[in-house]
Amino acid sequence: MKNYNRICLNSTTAIVILLLIIMAGCGDGTQVSKDRAIERSVQIPLSHQDSNVIKTSWPSIGCWFWQKEEFTGDGYKRFIDLHEQFSPFKLLTTSLRYPGDLTDPEVYKQIKAASLYAREKGMAIVMDLDIRLARDSFRAKYPDELQQIVFIKEFPLNKKDPPSIGVKGRAFGDHYTYGRTPYDVVSAKLLRVYSYQKKDGMVKPGTVKDISGRAVAVETKDSVHVNIKGAMEDEATTACALVAFTVNTPDVFAPHLLSYQREILQQYADALLAGACKDEWGFPGRFTTPEDELWYSAGMAKAYAQRSAGRDLLRDMLLMSVGETGHEAERIAAVNNYMEMCSIRNGEIETDYYHAIKEILGKDAMSGTHPTWFPYPDNREIFKNGLSWWTSKRDLAQTDEATPFSVRTALSKKMYSPLWFNMYYDKTIEPYYKDIWRAALAGGRLNYHPLWPVPIEQMPASLLKDSIMLAESRVSLLNYISEAPPDCPVAVVFGHPAALNWTDKKVFADVGLNVANTLWKAGYYTDLIPSSEIVNGSLTINENGKVQYGPQQYEAVIFYHPEYDKQAVAAFFRKAGASGKTALFRVGNWTVDFNATPFDGNGTMGMAVRNTDTLSVVQLVMDALKSKNIPVQTEGEEHTVSGFPASVMPKAAGQLKLIDGTHIFISGEHNLLGDTIVQKINIAGQQVDMDAIGLAGVRMNKKGEVEALACGGLKTFQSAGLNIQLDNRADIALIKQSGKWKGILHSNSTEIPAPLLNITGDWTRVRVPLVLKE
C-alpha cells in the first residue's frame, strides 16, 4: 500500500504527459501551432512533467480501423481531422482491416505518415504491430513454424471392409483476418494412427497399439484420407487417426516468434508512434471447441516433453481426448500440463511484446489494447489463451466488450493501473449513454470503438453526431484525480487448473463468476483472480498478514474450486489463515493436486479456511464485511452489450471509493451528460456540500482538507478550506501539488471565471469537442 503511488506514477505510461502537453498547449489557454506541436512531440522526453499538466492523468482513447480509404493517398487525414474537432481523443489505438503486411515498405510509409499527421493535430497513434498482421512475411521466412491443430478422429476397424477415414481441415478467422487472408489450411499430414478396444466410451487398458506403419495416407492441401492395410491380428475394434492441419499463422510456440515481433517493432522505431498494440492474442479463436481438436506443433511437443518428464504429446493427446480406463489420474495430469503450458506461453508472448515496445519504441511507449477475446471466461476463451489475461502485461488494464467487471478491476490491481479501459461497441449509440457512467462507477473508462456492425463508410463519424463525446469529455475530468483503482474488499480466487481441465465437467470453465456477480449486485465490489497468481507470486500476504494483490488488501477471499491445484497454493492459504487478518472461505473439496496425486488440500489449508458452498458463501462473506464495517458501494444489475453473455455491473448512478480514499459520485441514469448531484455528504469526517452535474470526485488529506476535486457542471462546492460559487456551471478539476492548487477547465471559452482565479492563477484550459452536424 505505502508504495502504491510511487509504483503507479512510475509505471503509468508517461506518453500521457506528452499528449496533455500537446492538448493543452500553453497554460494561458492558447493553442500551440502545428510546427510547435511536432517539435514538442519529438523533443520533449515522454517522462517530462509540464508545470501545467497532472502527470497521473490518462487521456481519452478512441479506436481507428484502417480500410481502403486510409491506404489511398492522404485518406488517413479524414479520420484524424474529424476526431481533432469532434472528439476529445488524444490516443488512437489503431489496427488494419485491409490487406497489407506490416513489413511492406508501403504500409510502413503510410502508417508513419499518419502518425506524423496525428501529432500535428494533437493526437498520437498506438499502432497494432502484432505479428498476425505480418503472417505472409513470417511464413516466407519461417515456413516450418506455423500453427498446427491435430484432429483426433476415431473410425471402426471393420474386418470385412478395408478400414478408412477421411479428415478435412478448415480455416479459422477473427478480426485479424477481417478484410484479409483467413487462417487458411496450408497443408495436411497424418502424424499417427492408434488401434484399441473400447468399453463404456473409454479405451480399455493395455489395448493401445501404434499402427502408423500400416496406414496409407493420401494427403491434399486441406485433407487426409487414411486406409489401414492388412488384417487385424488382435481384437482391436477402433482406430484413431491423428491428423495435423497447418494454418497460416505463426505457431504460438514458434522458436522465432519473439524475435520476429521485435523485428516488426524495430521497423517502426522512427514512426513517432505512441506505442504498439497486441489485441486478443492466442490461438485462432473458435466458437466451438471440440476436445478431439487440439492445438499442436513441434515446438509445443518439445515444451510439453520438457515439463512432463519426457512424455510424448501425441500419445497424450489420445489420452486427453478419448480417456483410458485405469489412467484417469494420468489424463488429469496431462490436461493440467497441456493447458497450463499454453496459458503460460501466451502470457510470455504478451509480456515479451510489452518489454520489446519499451526497448524499441521508448521506455514510455504504451502497450495497447486487450488480451481478452470472446471476452468471457468460458470454454471459448480457455481454448484461445488458457485465461492468460492476468499475465499479459500492460501499462494500463485493458479489456473489451462484455468482460466481467470483476476481471476489469482485478486487472487494474495487477497492472498497478489507476484506471481500466474497456474497448466498447454496439450497433447503435444509445447503449453508450449509460455504459460510460457504469464504467466510471467501477474505476473504468471506455476505449471507444465506432458503432458496429454498420456500413464501413459510416464508421469513422459514427460516434461524432451525438453528444457522447461531450459526455466523455466530462467523465475524463476524473482522470486528473484518479491515482488508484477502485477499492474491492473481496477476491474470488478460482482454481486455475480446475477451470481449464475439460475432463471434469463439474468444474470446467467455472471460475466462480456467479459468486462474484452476486457480490457486485449487492454492492460489494469483488476482484476475480486465478490461483496461478499465487504460484507466480503476484497474489501475496503482506507484512500485516492480509492477502494483497497489487495495491489492494482484501477483507475476504473465496477460494473457488481448489481441486487439481498446486500444493504451494494450499501453503499460501494456510499462512493467510494463520494471520487471521483476511476472512477465508473455500467452495469445493481438494482431494488431488496438479499432478493428480492424492492430496488432502482441505486439511493442509487448515480450519481457518472455512468450508462452504456456492449458495451460502455470499451471505457469509457479506456478514464478515459487515462485522468489519465495510460499506456497500453502488449496487449492481445484470447487463450485457452486443449480445455477449451478461454479467453484473454497477447501475449508472451511485458512489465509489478508490483505494487511496478518493470518493466518486456518479449520476447518469437519465441524461447522457449526467443528472444533477445536489448533496450534503460526510467525507473523512468533513462536511461537503456540492451542486454538480454527472460526477463529483473528492479526495481529502490526513488533515481533512481537500487535495483533489473534479466536478462536471460545477455550481457550488463547499468544504473546510475550499469554497466555490459559480454563476455559470463549469467542468473543472483541481489538484494540490506541493501545497499549491493547479486547475484544469474543460471549456471552449478563453475566459477563466473569477471565482476560480481566486483559488489559483495556474489554470490549463482543455478544449471541449463539438458535435458533428449532419
Side-chain angles (χ1 to χ4, degrees):
M1 285 289 290
K2 63 183 179 182
N3 292 326
Y4 173 67
N5 285 334
R6 174 183 61 79
I7 295 171
C8 181
L9 297 185
N10 288 343
S11 64
T12 299
T13 303
I15 183 62
V16 176
I17 302 159
L18 166 66
L19 293 170
L20 286 175
I21 291 169
I22 296 173
M23 172 182 69
C26 304
D28 61 3
T30 60
Q31 190 71 27
V32 292
S33 68
K34 291 182 180 180
D35 291 341
R36 182 59 174 164
I38 296 174
E39 178 186 343
R40 295 185 71 137
S41 66
V42 174
Q43 295 183 1
I44 293 180
L46 296 182
S47 59
H48 172 78
Q49 182 180 354
D50 185 88
S51 62
N52 294 307
V53 179
I54 307 306
K55 65 181 178 179
T56 54
S57 174
W58 280 92
S60 298
I61 305 176
C63 302
W64 186 13
F65 302 107
W66 282 29
Q67 305 282 349
K68 181 178 180 180
E69 178 182 6
E70 281 78 10
F71 281 102
T72 305
D74 292 341
Y76 55 80
K77 290 185 176 180
R78 183 169 81 97
F79 186 94
I80 294 172
D81 288 343
L82 280 171
H83 286 79
E84 177 200 20
Q85 188 173 9
F86 301 109
S87 86
F89 300 155
K90 298 303 166 186
L91 276 180
L92 298 173
T93 52
T94 306
S95 189
L96 307 183
R97 297 292 188 269
Y98 192 74
D101 192 291
L102 287 174
T103 63
D104 184 333
E106 295 304 313
V107 173
Y108 157 77
K109 289 179 183 178
Q110 198 74 352
I111 290 173
K112 182 176 180 179
S115 176
L116 291 174
Y117 188 71
R119 295 278 182 166
E120 291 183 26
K121 297 295 185 175
M123 291 179 278
I125 291 174
V126 182
M127 189 69 207
D128 192 335
L129 300 180
D130 183 86
I131 196 170
R132 288 166 292 180
L133 295 175
R135 287 180 286 127
D136 292 341
S137 59
F138 181 87
R139 177 183 174 187
K141 192 170 183 178
Y142 303 110
D144 298 327
E145 296 187 19
L146 299 183
Q147 186 63 60
Q148 293 180 304
I149 188 167
V150 169
F151 284 21
I152 306 156
K153 301 300 181 182
E154 291 184 323
F155 58 103
L157 286 174
N158 191 325
K159 294 184 178 181
K160 294 182 180 179
D161 302 313
S164 67
I165 188 174
V167 184
K168 186 175 178 61
R170 60 179 178 274
F172 302 93
D174 58 23
H175 64 306
Y176 275 98
T177 63
Y178 181 86
R180 306 166 61 83
T181 305
Y183 304 126
D184 283 330
V185 175
V186 299
S187 66
K189 184 177 181 61
L190 177 67
L191 298 183
R192 202 166 294 176
V193 182
Y194 290 103
S195 69
Y196 43 81
Q197 299 176 43
K198 294 188 77 175
K199 182 179 180 180
D200 298 327
M202 301 279 284
V203 175
K204 291 178 66 174
T207 66
V208 177
K209 290 186 178 180
D210 186 339
I211 61 169
S212 302
R214 297 176 52 198
V216 177
V218 178
E219 299 167 346
T220 67
K221 177 183 176 182
D222 63 353
S223 67
V224 172
H225 191 86
V226 182
N227 289 284
I228 304 300
K229 61 182 181 179
M232 298 306 298
E233 299 174 356
D234 54 33
E235 299 301 318
T237 58
T238 303
C240 186
L242 277 65
V243 178
F245 296 100
T246 301
V247 295
N248 185 26
T249 193
D251 169 27
V252 168
F253 287 81
H256 292 94
L257 189 152
L258 300 184
S259 61
Y260 199 73
Q261 67 181 11
R262 286 171 177 259
E263 288 181 34
I264 297 170
L265 287 167
Q266 190 63 56
Q267 181 177 346
Y268 289 84
D270 66 346
L272 287 179
L273 298 171
C277 302
K278 179 179 285 291
D279 197 50
E280 302 180 4
W281 172 258
F283 299 102
R286 296 180 288 166
F287 289 99
T288 58
T289 56
E291 293 156 17
D292 60 355
E293 298 177 7
L294 301 177
W295 297 111
Y296 176 82
S297 70
M300 179 188 286
K302 181 179 179 181
Y304 183 81
Q306 290 173 342
R307 68 166 12 242
S308 62
R311 293 183 69 96
D312 176 13
L313 179 55
L314 285 176
R315 176 62 181 87
D316 275 1
M317 280 185 164
L318 176 66
L319 172 66
M320 289 188 282
S321 177
V322 182
E324 298 177 45
T325 301
H327 295 269
E328 290 83 1
E330 282 183 69
R331 187 186 188 200
I332 290 169
V335 173
N336 284 343
N337 273 287
Y338 176 80
M339 296 303 292
E340 183 186 68
M341 173 183 71
C342 294
S343 179
I344 289 175
R345 175 59 175 174
N346 282 313
E348 287 174 348
I349 291 168
E350 295 257 25
T351 300
D352 185 79
Y353 190 69
Y354 169 91
H355 290 299
I357 289 169
K358 303 299 183 182
E359 294 167 16
I360 296 169
L361 301 185
K363 65 183 180 64
D364 298 314
M366 177 184 177
S367 176
T369 60
H370 47 273
T372 52
W373 169 60
F374 177 62
Y376 198 79
D378 64 5
N379 61 305
R380 289 162 285 200
E381 196 79 22
I382 284 168
F383 282 100
K384 168 75 172 178
N385 51 43
L387 299 182
S388 59
W389 302 342
W390 292 262
T391 56
S392 300
K393 189 168 177 58
R394 296 289 192 276
D395 294 298
L396 184 70
Q398 294 163 82
T399 57
D400 73 322
E401 295 156 343
T403 302
F405 272 49
S406 52
V407 173
R408 305 183 198 190
T409 56
L411 290 178
S412 70
K413 316 300 170 55
K414 176 62 184 288
M415 307 305 166
Y416 285 93
S417 174
L419 301 172
W420 52 259
F421 276 76
N422 189 69
M423 187 182 288
Y424 178 94
Y425 65 87
D426 214 313
K427 61 184 178 181
T428 62
I429 202 163
E430 286 75 18
Y432 291 71
Y433 291 0
K434 283 191 179 181
D435 283 8
I436 185 175
W437 300 106
R438 296 180 194 272
L441 262 174
R445 307 290 182 267
L446 303 188
N447 178 3
Y448 289 84
H449 187 300
L451 296 185
W452 182 256
V454 297
I456 296 298
E457 65 275 9
Q458 295 179 15
M459 287 182 68
S462 61
L463 297 180
L464 308 182
K465 300 175 183 179
D466 195 279
S467 297
I468 190 70
M469 294 293 101
L470 293 176
E472 167 59 24
S473 176
R474 175 161 286 173
V475 168
S476 69
L477 290 165
L478 292 172
N479 299 11
Y480 301 116
I481 71 166
S482 295
E483 298 182 359
D487 188 11
C488 301
V490 185
V492 172
V493 177
F494 67 90
H496 203 168
L500 302 187
N501 198 307
W502 69 79
T503 68
D504 188 343
K505 302 306 181 187
K506 298 188 300 293
V507 297
F508 174 62
D510 183 357
V511 299
L513 187 58
N514 287 339
V515 172
N517 279 338
T518 305
L519 286 162
W520 273 85
K521 193 169 186 177
Y524 289 109
Y525 288 14
T526 300
D527 292 332
L528 186 66
I529 307 168
S531 61
S532 53
E533 291 291 274
I534 294 172
V535 178
N536 68 29
S538 299
L539 188 62
T540 64
I541 300 168
N542 66 22
E543 58 190 12
N544 298 319
K546 277 192 173 182
V547 177
Q548 183 164 341
Y549 195 50
Q552 180 73 64
Q553 297 187 60
Y554 294 108
E555 302 298 334
V557 171
I558 303 165
F559 189 18
Y560 189 85
H561 289 170
E563 191 77 310
Y564 314 134
D565 226 314
K566 296 188 174 182
Q567 294 189 18
V569 176
F572 174 91
F573 277 102
R574 187 173 188 86
K575 182 179 178 181
S579 76
K581 297 298 180 66
T582 299
L584 303 175
F585 303 88
R586 168 175 57 83
V587 175
N589 287 316
W590 192 353
T591 62
V592 297
D593 67 7
F594 185 82
N595 294 313
T597 303
F599 176 62
D600 181 14
N602 299 345
T604 302
M605 286 190 290
M607 296 296 291
V609 183
R610 185 172 177 180
N611 179 31
T612 182
D613 55 52
T614 303
L615 296 177
S616 304
V617 68
V618 170
Q619 187 59 55
L620 291 172
V621 167
M622 290 194 296
D623 290 344
L625 296 177
K626 290 174 183 177
S627 72
K628 297 182 178 185
N629 297 316
I630 304 300
V632 171
Q633 303 205 68
T634 301
E635 294 182 354
E637 58 189 4
E638 195 171 83
H639 180 65
T640 188
V641 297
S642 297
F644 288 97
S647 62
V648 175
M649 54 192 70
K651 298 177 181 179
Q655 59 184 348
L656 164 70
K657 184 170 76 72
L658 305 183
I659 289 175
D660 65 358
T662 301
H663 288 259
I664 292 173
F665 304 88
I666 295 291
S667 185
E669 280 284 355
H670 305 291
N671 296 293
L672 171 57
L673 297 182
D675 305 319
T676 302
I677 301 172
V678 180
Q679 289 190 10
K680 293 184 178 182
I681 53 176
N682 187 289
I683 299 177
Q686 299 297 318
Q687 178 72 27
V688 173
D689 294 354
M690 58 186 176
D691 180 348
I693 295 177
L695 64 90
V698 184
R699 183 167 61 252
M700 301 287 193
N701 61 22
K702 293 181 180 179
K703 298 179 181 179
E705 301 167 334
V706 176
E707 66 175 16
L709 173 69
C711 289
L714 179 64
K715 180 73 171 179
T716 302
F717 184 89
Q718 290 181 303
S719 70
L722 184 61
N723 187 348
I724 303 174
Q725 302 285 338
L726 297 176
D727 294 331
N728 298 305
R729 293 184 181 273
D731 287 1
I732 72 158
L734 279 163
I735 303 92
K736 186 170 284 187
Q737 293 182 341
S738 302
K740 296 182 179 180
W741 285 111
K742 295 179 180 295
I744 301 100
L745 174 66
H746 283 199
S747 174
N748 291 331
S749 171
T750 59
E751 180 180 351
I752 307 295
L756 299 182
L757 289 174
N758 290 336
I759 299 170
T760 178
D762 189 354
W763 284 90
T764 296
R765 184 179 59 83
V766 176
R767 182 185 60 82
V768 175
L770 304 176
V771 177
L772 179 63
K773 302 298 183 183
E774 294 286 355

